[in-house]
């Protein structure tokens, strides 16, 4: 069953199934059809996210166990709601004390029946699994180790002992295990198991093996068959060896009635593989298009220039986007992913050694070819179905140019052919192809999302998953083309604005995006605030800090400090997670207290108040587009109101819910455009809540207008400010119209005689129950948007005489 809309809840010990069950009346009254739950299987104790699964056969006891989940499902069903579950096929927690399957592998070695579960290169570790878990070198940690029965202890860590080894002296005992305990810093170069990105605490699972698939999906599929669950959100499918094969097996097992979407990041014009048996993505592609509409293309160019001048940032360390991405990619593939690259080189060496035509390719040439190709993969993951887009000849030519001797550049062609499956289907060939693709996705995520996004910062609202900070603006025509394609090919896809993974919530991004419309005013603010506040550790940090402060509105010291410390560590320029500079981090914290969250708070508040009318237009416009465009909107917990959250863990705070919303919902008075609209109960928050509930209830009551057979047709405005309106109608029955770039609009004289031609008929304004609009001709936008920067119109009377194309 395809949902009409979903509502995401972040489950954790402080928000278990019982809390979700208590929230059901509120969520049902809001108007969604399904609750969307974060992972529910047994995880590491205390986990606040659930992606560190340790047992696929049990529902997590800390959340209330299977009984609690089934109770939640029953209560949800009584209120007309189904459940969608987030599932994690790619990895498990590398925590043997809690992960029974991994415990058995460490105890019994490659002969364990569980050894096939994990991507372990036993040969690379001389028959052992490296466990990089010790705080120091093993020799320095021996005194903290002790043996109790058949278990080795180190602090809170526990490891199984191989049979008949417990009596051995400690150094000899360690040598006789199927694993090697090591210093955590060895993970970067010595690790011999596949992990999630660069997170050694998460070990890759081989769901391509049918037996492993069955064992790791039995409980989830049981819940689907029992009707407890009606949909699945698949986490990081690019991590598994064969995403399409995995998804076919999942769809076959779950049945056609189960709605399945995948967390697939699409880059630029990349499209979801048409052969995947899913309803679509989780919606980051929609987020990019919606956010882009509220980013001024002219302003972002001016802002980027001012950023370079003000920060004096080196081009490859945040000054220019493409240079920053390329340098970050080289750093990640050379350092953080060195172990993954070594694995690929070993496989390639074996393939070449077995083929007389390839035997003289040196390991260093293969390594260099791998590196140069990996950093040039333009998408998250290459697929054989579209080889030229995944590893284009231009990328191969650039990689060859890095070789001094042309004959040695032949290694690039070999590696490219292996990555695209053009040199055979032997076991090593298949493994190389999968591992290259898996490594490419990890490289893209770490180099772009987790490094470049934190280095390049002209407009930090553009630095979001699936986005393009180098060219973030999206015009109305491009947005309409995207929506038309969704309506035709992926009508059941997910769409999002805020998730548990977004670096800033939609409303924070909406505030910051206004700066692209007033770069000169931002420069004035920076000049004034710099003179007023304490000096920053560096100019780039200050730029990011002040934009973040504006996004929050009234900066909270603890939240702002945590977000900025995470930002500078991820950027890895002055400090990092693994090579910390305590003095620099102390200076960052001091700057927050003496600047944005200190004496300058009032100046920030005044600046935010000045931007409030235009922030309001962005917040309401983005929300309405999200809720009425093609696809299934996912509303993140609390984001039906004004929701100001920064990067995790800030955005994963346990949700709090009040009384169920009334039906019908009273429409709040339009916000005072001079007010700040700040706070959960602010005027803009009330407007957003009313808009969200109205749109969600409309989707629930009229699924045919928005569902699989619904049409999408752009509506064009005419006049001097036409580009500031984005409008469309769905199935000839509902019209959405929003204001974009409202600050620029105001500066250029407002709507003047700009008009929007509405289809014939009478149209009720659902956000203002007392108003009707007559269509069939041009309607002045100054009147249409007189009370709010957005309108949601529903046809009054019978069905439309004509229906727009999809």
């Amino acid at each position: 069953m395809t949902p009409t809309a979903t509502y995401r809840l972040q489950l954790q010990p402080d928000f278990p199934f019982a809390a979700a069950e208590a929230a059901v009346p509120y969520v049902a009254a809001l108007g969604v059809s399904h609750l969307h739950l974060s992972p529910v299987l047994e995880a590491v104790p205390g986990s606040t996210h659930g992606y560190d699964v340790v047992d696929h056969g049990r529902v997590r006891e800390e959340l209330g166990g299977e009984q609690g989940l089934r109770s939640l499902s029953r209560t949800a069903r009584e209120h007309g709601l189904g459940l969608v579950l987030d599932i994690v096929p790619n990895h498990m927690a590398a925590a043997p004390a809690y992960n029974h399957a991994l415990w058995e592998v460490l105890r019994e070695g490659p002969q364990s029946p569980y050894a096939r579960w994990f991507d372990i290169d036993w040969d690379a570790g001389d028959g052992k699994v490296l466990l990089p878990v010790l705080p120091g070198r093993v020799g320095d940690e021996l005194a903290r180790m002790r043996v109790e029965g058949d278990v080795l202890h180190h602090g809170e860590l526990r490891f199984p002992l191989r049979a008949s080894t417990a009596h051995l002296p400690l150094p000899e005992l360690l040598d006789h295990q199927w694993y090697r305990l090591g210093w955590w810093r060895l993970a970067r170069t010595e690790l011999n198991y596949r992990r999630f990105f660069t997170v050694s605490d998460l070990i890759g699972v081989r769901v391509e093996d049918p037996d492993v698939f069955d064992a790791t999906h039995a409980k989830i599929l049981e819940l689907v068959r029992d009707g407890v669950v009606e949909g699945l959100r698949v986490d990081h499918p690019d991590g598994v060896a064969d995403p399409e094969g995995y998804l076919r097996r999942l769809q076959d097992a779950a049945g056609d009635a189960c709605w399945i979407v995948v967390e697939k990041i699409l880059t630029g014009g990349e499209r979801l593989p048409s052969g995947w048996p899913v309803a679509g993505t989780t919606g980051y592609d929609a987020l990019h298009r919606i956010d882009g509409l509220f980013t001024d293309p002219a302003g972002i160019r001016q802002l980027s220039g001012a950023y370079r001048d003000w920060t004096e940032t080196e081009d490859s360390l945040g000054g220019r986007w493409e240079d920053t991405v390329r340098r970050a990619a080289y750093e990640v593939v050379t350092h953080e992913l060195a172990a993954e690259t070594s694995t690929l080189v070993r496989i390639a060496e074996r393939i070449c050694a077995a083929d007389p035509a390839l035997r003289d390719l040196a390991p260093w040439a293969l390594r260099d070819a791998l590196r140069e190709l990996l950093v040039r993969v333009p998408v998250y993951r290459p697929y054989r179905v579209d080889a030229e887009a995944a590893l284009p000849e231009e990328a191969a030519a650039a990689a060859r140019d890095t070789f001094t001797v042309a004959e040695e550049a032949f290694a690039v062609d070999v590696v490219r052919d292996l990555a695209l499956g053009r040199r055979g289907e032997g076991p090593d060939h298949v493994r190389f192809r999968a591992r290259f693709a898996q490594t490419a996705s990890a490289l893209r995520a770490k180099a772009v999302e987790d490094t470049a996004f934190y280095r390049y910062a002209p407009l930090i609202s553009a630095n979001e998953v699936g986005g393009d900070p180098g060219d973030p603006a999206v015009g109305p025509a491009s947005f309409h083309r995207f929506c038309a394609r969704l309506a035709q090919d992926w009508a059941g896809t997910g769409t999002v604005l805020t998730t548990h993974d977004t670096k800033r919530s939609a409303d924070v991004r909406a505030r910051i995006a206004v700066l692209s419309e007033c770069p000169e005013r931002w420069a004035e603010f920076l000049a004034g605030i710099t003179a007023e506040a304490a000096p920053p550790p560096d100019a780039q940090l200050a730029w990011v800090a002040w934009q973040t402060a504006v996004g929050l509105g009234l900066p909270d010291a603890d939240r702002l400090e945590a977000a900025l410390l995470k930002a500078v560590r991820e950027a890895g320029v002055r400090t990092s997670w693994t090579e910390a500079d305590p003095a620099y981090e102390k200076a960052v914290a001091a700057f927050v207290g003496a600047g944005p969250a200190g004496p300058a708070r009032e100046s920030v508040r005044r600046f935010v108040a000045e931007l409030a009318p235009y922030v309001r237009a962005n917040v309401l416009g983005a929300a309405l587009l999200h809720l009425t465009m093609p696809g299934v909107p996912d509303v993140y917990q609390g984001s039906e109101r004004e929701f100001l959250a920064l990067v995790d863990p800030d955005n994963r705070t346990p949700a709090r819910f009040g009384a169920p919303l009334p039906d019908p919902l009273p429409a709040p008075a339009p916000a005072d455009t001079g007010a700040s609209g700040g706070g959960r109960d602010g005027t803009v928050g009330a407007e957003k809540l009313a808009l969200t509930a109205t749109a969600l209830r409309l989707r629930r009551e009229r699924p045919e207008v928005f569902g699989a057979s619904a049409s999408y047709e752009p509506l064009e405005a005419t006049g001097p400010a036409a580009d500031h309106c984005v409008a469309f109608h769905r199935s000839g029955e509902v019209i959405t119209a929003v204001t974009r770039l409202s600050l620029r609009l105001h500066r250029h004289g407002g709507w003047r005689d700009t008009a929007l031609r509405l289809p014939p008929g009478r149209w009720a304004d659902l956000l203002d129950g007392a108003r009707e609009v007559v269509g069939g001709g041009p309607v002045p936008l100054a009147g249409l948007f007189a009370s709010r920067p957005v309108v949601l119109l529903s046809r009054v009377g019978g069905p439309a005489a004509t229906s727009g194309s999809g």
Side-chain angles (χ1 to χ4, degrees), residues 8 10 233 263 282-284 287 464-465 495-506 509 634 636 639 643 645-646 648 651-652:
R8 169 79 176 202
Q10 284 299 114
R233 179 246 190 216
E263 188 201 25
T282 55
Y284 286 112
L287 182 156
E464 200 50 81
V465 180
T495 62
V496 294
L497 278 182
T498 297
T499 77
H500 61 289
D501 278 334
T502 44
K503 291 175 170 49
R504 298 158 193 94
S505 65
R509 301 196 309 273
D634 184 54
Y636 190 70
S639 67
F643 184 64
L646 301 178
D648 66 279
N651 59 8
R652 301 182 186 184

Side-chain angles (χ1 to χ4, degrees), residues 457-777:
L459 186 73
I460 60 176
S461 60
N463 297 9
E464 200 50 81
V465 180
D468 182 3
D471 186 19
V474 174
S478 178
F479 175 80
H480 288 312
R481 286 193 297 271
F482 173 74
C483 288
R485 189 168 69 246
L486 288 189
Q488 178 176 330
D489 299 332
W490 301 101
T493 190
T495 62
V496 294
L497 278 182
T498 297
T499 77
H500 61 289
D501 278 334
T502 44
K503 291 175 170 49
R504 298 158 193 94
S505 65
D507 293 347
V508 171
R509 301 196 309 273
R511 288 172 181 256
I512 297 170
V514 175
L515 301 180
S516 71
E517 302 178 61
C518 58
E520 70 295 328
R521 181 66 188 93
W522 166 247
E524 293 172 4
F525 168 76
L526 267 187
I529 208 78
T530 300
E532 177 183 343
D538 60 83
Q540 205 263 6
L541 180 276
W543 181 284
V544 172
W546 292 118
Q547 283 200 2
T548 306
V550 168
L552 274 180
L554 193 60
D556 175 276
D558 290 340
R559 295 171 65 200
L560 187 58
E561 179 183 327
L564 290 175
L565 284 174
K566 180 166 184 172
V568 295
R569 289 167 181 164
E570 294 283 10
V573 177
R574 300 287 299 273
T575 187
S576 71
W577 297 107
T578 56
E579 283 88 28
D581 182 337
Y584 178 76
E585 294 190 3
K586 185 177 180 180
V588 171
F591 171 68
V592 171
R601 281 168 59 93
E602 182 58 26
S603 296
V604 173
R605 189 199 66 77
R606 287 196 300 269
F607 184 61
V608 169
E610 177 186 332
L611 301 181
Y614 319 110
V615 172
R616 172 182 176 242
N618 283 7
V619 167
L620 298 180
L624 187 57
L625 291 175
H626 175 221
L627 296 171
T628 57
M629 69 184 288
V632 177
D634 184 54
V635 179
Y636 190 70
Q637 59 182 32
S639 67
E640 68 275 13
R641 305 173 187 267
E642 187 174 53
F643 184 64
L644 303 175
L646 301 178
V647 70
D648 66 279
D650 188 63
N651 59 8
R652 301 182 186 184
T653 302
R656 297 290 181 264
F657 298 97
L661 304 176
D663 191 3
L665 187 74
D672 176 359
T673 55
S676 71
R680 179 179 173 87
D681 297 318
T683 306
V684 170
E687 277 194 287
K688 186 183 180 188
L689 175 60
L691 179 155
T692 301
T694 298
L696 289 174
R697 291 172 179 180
L698 179 65
R699 293 184 69 97
R700 183 177 61 191
E701 293 161 5
R702 305 199 61 187
E704 75 284 356
V705 173
F706 300 96
S709 60
S711 65
Y712 176 93
E713 186 73 20
L715 295 176
E716 291 190 11
T718 56
D723 201 45
H724 289 277
C725 176
V726 175
F728 53 82
H729 68 79
R730 303 299 316 274
S731 305
E733 294 296 314
V734 172
I735 293 173
T736 288
V738 309
T739 304
R740 65 184 289 264
L741 307 182
S742 60
L743 176 51
R744 288 281 196 196
L745 173 67
H746 172 73
R747 289 182 171 180
H748 292 162
W751 291 112
R752 290 167 284 169
D753 56 354
T754 307
L756 181 68
R757 180 173 292 276
L758 298 183
R762 290 165 46 232
W763 299 88
D765 184 348
L766 298 183
L767 303 180
D768 183 352
R771 184 169 74 142
E772 281 192 6
V773 180
V774 178

Side-chain angles (χ1 to χ4, degrees), residues 49-92:
H49 51 80
Y51 290 93
D52 44 1
V53 177
V54 296
D55 188 343
H56 293 91
R58 291 191 301 139
V59 176
R60 191 174 176 187
E61 290 298 331
E62 285 183 297
L63 301 181
E66 186 166 342
Q67 182 177 351
L69 176 61
R70 289 180 179 268
S71 177
L72 169 59
S73 177
R74 287 192 296 272
T75 299
R77 194 174 301 280
E78 290 168 1
H79 287 77
L81 301 179
L83 297 186
V84 173
L85 289 189
D86 195 339
I87 64 171
V88 192
N90 177 65
H91 53 266
M92 297 179 72

